[in-house]
PDB file of all heavy atoms in Angstrom:
ATOM      1  N   GLU A  65      97.727 110.838 109.566  1.00  0.00           N
ATOM      2  CA  GLU A  65      96.753 111.191 108.537  1.00  0.00           C
ATOM      3  C   GLU A  65      97.481 111.086 107.194  1.00  0.00           C
ATOM      4  O   GLU A  65      98.439 111.817 106.944  1.00  0.00           O
ATOM      5  CB  GLU A  65      96.234 112.609 108.752  1.00  0.00           C
ATOM      6  CG  GLU A  65      95.166 113.006 107.763  1.00  0.00           C
ATOM      7  CD  GLU A  65      94.672 114.413 108.002  1.00  0.00           C
ATOM      8  OE1 GLU A  65      95.526 115.338 108.147  1.00  0.00           O
ATOM      9  OE2 GLU A  65      93.459 114.600 108.022  1.00  0.00           O
ATOM     10  N   TYR A  66      97.037 110.149 106.362  1.00  0.00           N
ATOM     11  CA  TYR A  66      97.698 109.862 105.096  1.00  0.00           C
ATOM     12  C   TYR A  66      97.104 110.700 103.968  1.00  0.00           C
ATOM     13  O   TYR A  66      95.926 111.045 103.985  1.00  0.00           O
ATOM     14  CB  TYR A  66      97.560 108.371 104.766  1.00  0.00           C
ATOM     15  CG  TYR A  66      98.311 107.494 105.734  1.00  0.00           C
ATOM     16  CD1 TYR A  66      97.689 106.958 106.851  1.00  0.00           C
ATOM     17  CD2 TYR A  66      99.668 107.223 105.542  1.00  0.00           C
ATOM     18  CE1 TYR A  66      98.383 106.163 107.751  1.00  0.00           C
ATOM     19  CE2 TYR A  66     100.369 106.430 106.443  1.00  0.00           C
ATOM     20  CZ  TYR A  66      99.712 105.905 107.548  1.00  0.00           C
ATOM     21  OH  TYR A  66     100.403 105.136 108.430  1.00  0.00           O
ATOM     22  N   TYR A  67      97.943 110.983 102.985  1.00  0.00           N
ATOM     23  CA  TYR A  67      97.512 111.715 101.803  1.00  0.00           C
ATOM     24  C   TYR A  67      98.362 111.267 100.606  1.00  0.00           C
ATOM     25  O   TYR A  67      99.494 110.824 100.763  1.00  0.00           O
ATOM     26  CB  TYR A  67      97.621 113.233 102.008  1.00  0.00           C
ATOM     27  CG  TYR A  67      98.996 113.692 102.452  1.00  0.00           C
ATOM     28  CD1 TYR A  67      99.981 114.016 101.520  1.00  0.00           C
ATOM     29  CD2 TYR A  67      99.306 113.794 103.800  1.00  0.00           C
ATOM     30  CE1 TYR A  67     101.238 114.426 101.924  1.00  0.00           C
ATOM     31  CE2 TYR A  67     100.571 114.207 104.215  1.00  0.00           C
ATOM     32  CZ  TYR A  67     101.523 114.519 103.279  1.00  0.00           C
ATOM     33  OH  TYR A  67     102.776 114.922 103.678  1.00  0.00           O
ATOM     34  N   PRO A  68      97.796 111.361  99.402  1.00  0.00           N
ATOM     35  CA  PRO A  68      98.547 110.932  98.212  1.00  0.00           C
ATOM     36  C   PRO A  68      99.604 111.957  97.828  1.00  0.00           C
ATOM     37  O   PRO A  68      99.393 113.165  97.948  1.00  0.00           O
ATOM     38  CB  PRO A  68      97.466 110.838  97.131  1.00  0.00           C
ATOM     39  CG  PRO A  68      96.401 111.786  97.576  1.00  0.00           C
ATOM     40  CD  PRO A  68      96.440 111.794  99.080  1.00  0.00           C
ATOM     41  N   LEU A  69     100.748 111.472  97.388  1.00  0.00           N
ATOM     42  CA  LEU A  69     101.805 112.344  96.869  1.00  0.00           C
ATOM     43  C   LEU A  69     101.791 112.376  95.344  1.00  0.00           C
ATOM     44  O   LEU A  69     102.502 113.168  94.732  1.00  0.00           O
ATOM     45  CB  LEU A  69     103.181 111.857  97.354  1.00  0.00           C
ATOM     46  CG  LEU A  69     103.424 111.948  98.858  1.00  0.00           C
ATOM     47  CD1 LEU A  69     104.776 111.317  99.209  1.00  0.00           C
ATOM     48  CD2 LEU A  69     103.364 113.399  99.333  1.00  0.00           C
ATOM     49  N   VAL A  70     100.989 111.497  94.746  1.00  0.00           N
ATOM     50  CA  VAL A  70     100.867 111.400  93.296  1.00  0.00           C
ATOM     51  C   VAL A  70      99.406 111.635  92.937  1.00  0.00           C
ATOM     52  O   VAL A  70      98.510 111.053  93.547  1.00  0.00           O
ATOM     53  CB  VAL A  70     101.309 109.997  92.805  1.00  0.00           C
ATOM     54  CG1 VAL A  70     101.062 109.829  91.324  1.00  0.00           C
ATOM     55  CG2 VAL A  70     102.764 109.758  93.143  1.00  0.00           C
ATOM     56  N   GLU A  71      99.177 112.483  91.952  1.00  0.00           N
ATOM     57  CA  GLU A  71      97.808 112.736  91.513  1.00  0.00           C
ATOM     58  C   GLU A  71      97.302 111.569  90.671  1.00  0.00           C
ATOM     59  O   GLU A  71      98.070 110.910  89.971  1.00  0.00           O
ATOM     60  CB  GLU A  71      97.752 114.018  90.693  1.00  0.00           C
ATOM     61  CG  GLU A  71      98.030 115.263  91.505  1.00  0.00           C
ATOM     62  CD  GLU A  71      97.917 116.521  90.665  1.00  0.00           C
ATOM     63  OE1 GLU A  71      97.172 116.513  89.657  1.00  0.00           O
ATOM     64  OE2 GLU A  71      98.581 117.496  91.015  1.00  0.00           O
ATOM     65  N   LYS A  72      95.999 111.352  90.747  1.00  0.00           N
ATOM     66  CA  LYS A  72      95.389 110.257  90.000  1.00  0.00           C
ATOM     67  C   LYS A  72      95.626 110.426  88.498  1.00  0.00           C
ATOM     68  O   LYS A  72      95.931 109.468  87.798  1.00  0.00           O
ATOM     69  CB  LYS A  72      93.888 110.183  90.286  1.00  0.00           C
ATOM     70  CG  LYS A  72      93.230 108.959  89.694  1.00  0.00           C
ATOM     71  CD  LYS A  72      91.799 108.832  90.155  1.00  0.00           C
ATOM     72  CE  LYS A  72      91.238 107.514  89.688  1.00  0.00           C
ATOM     73  NZ  LYS A  72      89.905 107.263  90.239  1.00  0.00           N
ATOM     74  N   ARG A  73      95.534 111.630  88.022  1.00  0.00           N
ATOM     75  CA  ARG A  73      95.741 111.903  86.591  1.00  0.00           C
ATOM     76  C   ARG A  73      97.159 111.512  86.163  1.00  0.00           C
ATOM     77  O   ARG A  73      97.375 110.933  85.101  1.00  0.00           O
ATOM     78  CB  ARG A  73      95.471 113.378  86.316  1.00  0.00           C
ATOM     79  CG  ARG A  73      95.660 113.801  84.885  1.00  0.00           C
ATOM     80  CD  ARG A  73      95.373 115.298  84.736  1.00  0.00           C
ATOM     81  NE  ARG A  73      95.608 115.737  83.410  1.00  0.00           N
ATOM     82  CZ  ARG A  73      94.670 115.832  82.467  1.00  0.00           C
ATOM     83  NH1 ARG A  73      93.439 115.512  82.743  1.00  0.00           N
ATOM     84  NH2 ARG A  73      94.975 116.244  81.256  1.00  0.00           N
ATOM     85  N   GLU A  74      98.134 111.817  87.008  1.00  0.00           N
ATOM     86  CA  GLU A  74      99.533 111.476  86.730  1.00  0.00           C
ATOM     87  C   GLU A  74      99.712 109.952  86.695  1.00  0.00           C
ATOM     88  O   GLU A  74     100.381 109.406  85.813  1.00  0.00           O
ATOM     89  CB  GLU A  74     100.429 112.088  87.809  1.00  0.00           C
ATOM     90  CG  GLU A  74     101.892 111.862  87.626  1.00  0.00           C
ATOM     91  CD  GLU A  74     102.709 112.468  88.759  1.00  0.00           C
ATOM     92  OE1 GLU A  74     102.179 113.258  89.557  1.00  0.00           O
ATOM     93  OE2 GLU A  74     103.898 112.134  88.837  1.00  0.00           O
ATOM     94  N   TYR A  75      99.092 109.273  87.659  1.00  0.00           N
ATOM     95  CA  TYR A  75      99.169 107.803  87.698  1.00  0.00           C
ATOM     96  C   TYR A  75      98.536 107.208  86.446  1.00  0.00           C
ATOM     97  O   TYR A  75      99.110 106.331  85.798  1.00  0.00           O
ATOM     98  CB  TYR A  75      98.477 107.264  88.954  1.00  0.00           C
ATOM     99  CG  TYR A  75      98.313 105.766  88.926  1.00  0.00           C
ATOM    100  CD1 TYR A  75      99.409 104.937  89.141  1.00  0.00           C
ATOM    101  CD2 TYR A  75      97.086 105.179  88.665  1.00  0.00           C
ATOM    102  CE1 TYR A  75      99.283 103.558  89.094  1.00  0.00           C
ATOM    103  CE2 TYR A  75      96.950 103.807  88.618  1.00  0.00           C
ATOM    104  CZ  TYR A  75      98.039 103.005  88.842  1.00  0.00           C
ATOM    105  OH  TYR A  75      97.916 101.646  88.784  1.00  0.00           O
ATOM    106  N   PHE A  76      97.351 107.686  86.093  1.00  0.00           N
ATOM    107  CA  PHE A  76      96.646 107.168  84.922  1.00  0.00           C
ATOM    108  C   PHE A  76      97.465 107.399  83.652  1.00  0.00           C
ATOM    109  O   PHE A  76      97.580 106.518  82.803  1.00  0.00           O
ATOM    110  CB  PHE A  76      95.272 107.825  84.807  1.00  0.00           C
ATOM    111  CG  PHE A  76      94.442 107.291  83.681  1.00  0.00           C
ATOM    112  CD1 PHE A  76      93.886 106.018  83.757  1.00  0.00           C
ATOM    113  CD2 PHE A  76      94.221 108.046  82.538  1.00  0.00           C
ATOM    114  CE1 PHE A  76      93.126 105.513  82.714  1.00  0.00           C
ATOM    115  CE2 PHE A  76      93.466 107.550  81.493  1.00  0.00           C
ATOM    116  CZ  PHE A  76      92.915 106.280  81.580  1.00  0.00           C
ATOM    117  N   LYS A  77      98.072 108.562  83.539  1.00  0.00           N
ATOM    118  CA  LYS A  77      98.910 108.871  82.371  1.00  0.00           C
ATOM    119  C   LYS A  77     100.068 107.882  82.267  1.00  0.00           C
ATOM    120  O   LYS A  77     100.358 107.355  81.185  1.00  0.00           O
ATOM    121  CB  LYS A  77      99.429 110.303  82.479  1.00  0.00           C
ATOM    122  CG  LYS A  77     100.345 110.716  81.364  1.00  0.00           C
ATOM    123  CD  LYS A  77     100.850 112.128  81.605  1.00  0.00           C
ATOM    124  CE  LYS A  77     102.109 112.351  80.839  1.00  0.00           C
ATOM    125  NZ  LYS A  77     102.876 113.479  81.316  1.00  0.00           N
TER     126      LYS A  77
END
Side-chain angles (χ1 to χ4, degrees):
E65 183 180 49
Y66 294 93
Y67 54 89
L69 294 175
V70 174
E71 292 182 27
K72 188 172 187 173
R73 179 180 177 95
E74 182 182 347
Y75 170 75
F76 184 72
K77 178 183 159 198

